[in-house]
Amino acid sequence: MKSQNNIFLNLDWITILLYLALVMLGWINIYAAVYSDEHQSILDIGQQYGKQMIWIIAGMFLAICVLIVDSKFYVAFAYHIYVLILLLLVAVLFFGREVNGARAWFEVGGVALQPAELGKFATSLAVAKYMSQFGFKMARTKSYIVLGTMMLLPALLILLQNDTGSALVFAVFFLVFYREGLPDVILIGGFTAIILFILALVWTQLMILMLLIMVSLFLLIVLRQSIKEGIIGFVIVLLIYGILFGLKNIFEFDATPFHLLAITSILAILIFIVYGLKKHIKQAWFVLLFFIFSISIALSVNYFYRNVMVSHQRDRVDNLLGIKNDLLGAGYNVHQSKIAIGSGGLLGKGFLKGTQTKYNFVPEQSTDFIFCTVGEEWGFLGTTVVIFLFLVLLIRLVYLAERQRSTFSRIYGYGVACILFFHIVINISMTIGLAPVIGIPLPFFSYGGSSLWSFTVLLFIFIKLDASRTKNLR
């Protein structure tokens, strides 16, 4: 009994208090988002806020259960939990209930459960288990294959449910891998692909090609620490383009500036290869691979955008990037959300006085767009407080992860922090028009039992691991 009491005494109460504060604030804002004069009691279980109270109580019960279980259980059964959740993700495709076009829910006795939410902590456990095993090295090809498979399996099953937002969350594990030794080049490659995807939608191919040539030359200068070679490379590109442009005018053949620059790039690459082989320059090969990778991504974006993404996803991206301005269609939710947040001003309109939310101008205002309720009723000050609390929680989680003696606990802790970070940043960015609407909840705020329970279990497993950090968990 004394040992058990000591475990509870070792709990990080700062994190627990932050959790409770966010959950209570979320409950109050759900009440404000769907409040009606006919149902004024916040305890009315016939309304969303009454049901959320039940989810909160059940979530606290789950938290206590997580804390009671021995911390070694989560290490020993990490793979078992992961496989069980994968089976649930498969089962929901056949036996699940369809909501808003996504077959992602089990419904038992009026209670809906979304396995995709459970996949986050299950994958975190499995990843931590694999990466903490004796002899693990991030740089091995086997490690990339296994970890990539662990990420992709739940993500693909969730994509089959037509829930793109939840599937994208699993990409955040790359940040965990980076903390554990993933080479910089892979992470940089990922961010480069994202930037090129966006640029390819708003820029012409000619502009992108010119940008990549300039960036490649700049990289050569930085890596070789030789301005001379960068200038020579730039002059070579100009000379090749000038010669091609002159030949075009002399022989009057049909070629656009893009065609000329594309041929220039190919010839420059060939010169680059010959020069690199002759001088045995490793940096030149890196720059060459960067250019080929980047141009491949840029040229394939249009196919992916038109043939892989579905129409409503394209519409949301088009509205975000300003390609379209459909305020009555795909851009309606975000437009109304920005009006609601902007109308709150510095101090907000006051509790239960938000007109945009009270009169249902903002769709999904208690779930995906709960943050606009905070902005309208509590203003800039209220949103700042909420973001500050989230920021303190994330910083606290990173601090706790770094103090772990167990590799498993540290990796799992970073998984928790990264998942929460992704949800917080993307959800808030959605509501203010900085990210496309992909339908993911704001942790501890959005209405729903599945997301609240999932985030609670995700967080409290780490709190339990931290309380047992003196044990040998590996």
Side-chain angles (χ1 to χ4, degrees), residues 78 137 179 185 199 203 287 378 400 404 409 417 470:
K137 290 184 179 180
R179 166 60 182 83
V185 65
L199 290 179
W203 283 10
V287 175
W378 304 103
L400 295 181
Q404 300 304 306
S409 300
T470 57

Side-chain angles (χ1 to χ4, degrees), residues 398-429:
V398 172
Y399 166 76
L400 295 181
E402 286 296 336
R403 79 176 184 182
Q404 300 304 306
R405 299 182 181 180
S406 159
T407 304
F408 177 92
S409 300
R410 183 185 70 246
I411 296 170
Y412 181 81
Y414 268 98
V416 176
C418 290
I419 289 170
L420 291 176
F421 171 78
F422 183 90
H423 273 270
I424 293 164
V425 171
I426 298 301
N427 182 276
I428 293 177
S429 297

Side-chain angles (χ1 to χ4, degrees), residues 15-16 19-20 22-23 52 54-67 74 117-118 120-121 393 397 412 416 419-420 442-446 448-464:
T15 303
I16 293 174
Y19 163 81
L20 292 173
L22 290 168
V23 167
Q52 188 71 6
I54 297 175
W55 308 147
I56 291 172
I57 294 172
M60 291 181 179
F61 174 76
L62 279 174
I64 293 172
C65 291
V66 168
L67 295 176
Y74 302 111
E117 294 292 340
L118 305 178
K120 298 165 190 174
F121 81 83
L393 176 62
L397 289 174
Y412 181 81
V416 176
I419 289 170
L420 291 176
L442 184 62
F444 314 122
F445 265 71
S446 295
S450 291
S451 64
L452 177 63
W453 294 344
S454 171
F455 288 126
T456 298
V457 172
L458 177 77
L459 179 62
F460 275 83
I461 287 177
F462 182 51
I463 291 174
K464 176 64 177 183

Side-chain angles (χ1 to χ4, degrees), residues 209-384:
L209 193 54
M210 291 175 64
L211 173 68
L212 291 177
I213 290 173
M214 297 305 296
V215 171
S216 297
L217 291 172
F218 177 76
L219 279 175
L220 182 63
I221 292 172
V222 172
L223 294 174
R224 290 283 293 166
Q225 297 182 349
S226 173
I227 297 177
K228 178 183 176 181
E229 290 184 358
I231 293 174
I232 292 173
F234 182 70
V235 170
I236 289 173
V237 170
L238 286 179
L239 283 174
I240 295 174
Y241 186 83
I243 293 170
L244 291 173
F245 186 78
L247 291 173
K248 172 184 179 297
N249 290 330
I250 293 172
F251 296 101
E252 297 183 349
F253 57 81
D254 186 23
T256 65
F258 172 77
H259 293 141
L260 294 179
L261 202 56
I263 296 172
T264 300
S265 300
I266 294 171
L267 293 174
I269 287 173
L270 292 174
I271 295 172
F272 220 40
I273 291 173
V274 173
Y275 180 74
L277 287 172
K278 185 177 180 180
K279 296 291 185 179
H280 304 287
I281 300 174
K282 294 181 179 179
Q283 296 93 331
W285 285 107
F286 174 80
V287 175
L288 178 63
L289 290 173
F290 166 81
F291 182 82
I292 295 174
F293 167 78
S294 299
I295 200 67
S296 300
I297 293 292
L299 295 178
S300 63
V301 165
N302 188 61
Y303 176 82
F304 175 83
Y305 190 66
R306 300 299 172 192
N307 298 281
V308 177
M309 295 181 68
V310 296
S311 59
H312 72 272
Q313 293 171 339
R314 292 196 299 269
D315 290 340
R316 289 170 179 175
V317 174
D318 287 344
N319 275 276
L320 174 68
L321 299 178
I323 300 172
K324 293 181 180 178
N325 193 26
D326 186 9
L327 299 183
L328 297 179
Y332 178 80
N333 291 21
V334 175
H335 180 62
Q336 293 298 330
S337 175
K338 291 195 288 187
I339 291 175
I341 294 173
S343 67
L346 178 63
L347 301 177
K349 296 177 180 177
F351 186 52
L352 301 181
K353 295 181 180 178
T355 53
Q356 290 294 114
T357 52
K358 185 175 182 180
Y359 295 110
N360 298 317
F361 284 104
V362 183
E364 311 296 339
Q365 59 193 22
S366 64
T367 52
D368 297 345
F369 286 86
I370 186 68
F371 190 73
C372 72
T373 303
V374 181
E376 184 178 23
E377 298 197 350
W378 304 103
F380 177 77
L381 182 62
T383 56
T384 301

